[in-house]
Amino acid sequence: FQLLKQDLVQAPVLALPDFTKTFILETDASDSGFGAVLMQEGHPIAYLSKPLSGKNQGLLTYEKECMAILMAVDKWRCYLQHNHFMIRIDHKSLLFLSEQKATTKLQQKAVLKLMDLSFTISYKKGITNAAADALSRCPSDDTVSAISESTPVWLERLITGYSDDPSATQLLQDLVLAKWTSQGLHIT
């Protein structure tokens, strides 16, 4: 139990890339995001997860899966461009991506981004594509993270001083009015 607990709180150990071996890229797309795993000989080297933007949520499954491939290839191009690599997907219609006639903008983009790379696309049943599948379903954090800032005490006193001083308040009001009138705006 202690060993399991220790493993759960530590970062996973990833394999180091070996450029003499074949890289395998597993990708997946879901209704909520993209996921990808870069691996060699069954050992993960890197993970990638990205939530779908609002405009991309309405895309067809084919288009989402294609975007997942493009995203992963862009991210890990430095690993993939030197040797032949494999792409494993769980969407059969993309098996023939390099042989299809590029009729949509996304297909044309895919052909342009992938044309200088040497790769093979293979099908991996969705149930066995667990890592990429899980990464594509990571919940997006839609909450706004507040950024805290420290304000020096002297600056707070200066701001308070302007609001407490009637002549400073009048001067600020005159400056605002002068700016508005110079721009042709009038207060009614």
Side-chain angles (χ1 to χ4, degrees):
F1 176 75
Q2 293 300 327
L3 182 61
L4 178 62
K5 189 168 82 171
Q6 183 180 354
D7 286 344
L8 287 174
V9 296
Q10 292 181 351
V13 178
L14 300 175
L16 293 173
D18 181 350
F19 289 93
T20 62
K21 297 177 182 174
T22 302
F23 284 99
I24 298 168
L25 180 64
E26 292 186 355
T27 64
D28 188 45
S30 69
D31 289 334
S32 57
F34 304 120
V37 180
L38 181 66
M39 56 179 45
Q40 285 180 318
E41 296 180 336
H43 299 288
I45 295 171
Y47 296 103
L48 180 61
S49 179
K50 183 177 178 185
L52 269 172
S53 67
K55 74 174 188 173
N56 290 334
Q57 288 179 347
L59 294 175
L60 300 171
T61 303
Y62 173 91
E63 294 170 319
K64 290 177 191 175
E65 296 281 349
C66 187
M67 286 180 70
I69 292 172
L70 294 178
M71 178 193 66
V73 167
D74 278 348
K75 178 73 174 174
W76 296 314
R77 182 174 286 275
C78 59
Y79 295 101
L80 305 173
Q81 67 188 0
H82 303 291
N83 292 322
H84 184 83
F85 66 96
M86 294 190 61
I87 301 174
R88 290 187 185 154
I89 54 170
D90 64 353
H91 195 73
K92 284 188 178 181
S93 64
L94 281 170
L95 286 173
F96 310 103
L97 178 65
S98 58
E99 301 165 16
Q100 293 174 348
K101 184 176 179 182
T103 56
T104 68
K105 286 184 180 181
L106 183 62
Q107 286 175 322
Q108 292 168 356
K109 183 178 179 180
V111 167
L112 287 174
K113 287 195 178 226
L114 299 174
M115 68 188 245
D116 62 332
L117 300 173
S118 173
F119 63 93
T120 305
I121 299 179
S122 64
Y123 176 73
K124 184 173 183 178
K125 198 169 185 175
I127 296 170
T128 60
N129 197 14
D133 187 67
L135 289 167
S136 72
R137 287 162 174 47
C138 285
S140 64
D141 187 10
D142 292 335
T143 60
V144 175
S145 299
I147 299 173
S148 63
E149 66 178 275
S150 62
T151 306
V153 175
W154 65 267
L155 184 58
E156 289 177 4
R157 288 182 185 153
L158 179 67
I159 293 169
T160 305
Y162 279 125
S163 59
D164 291 343
D165 183 11
S167 60
T169 304
Q170 184 61 44
L171 180 61
L172 290 171
Q173 288 175 353
D174 292 345
L175 286 171
V176 170
L177 287 174
K179 183 176 180 181
W180 278 34
T181 55
S182 70
Q183 294 176 352
L185 302 172
H186 302 284
I187 300 174
T188 55

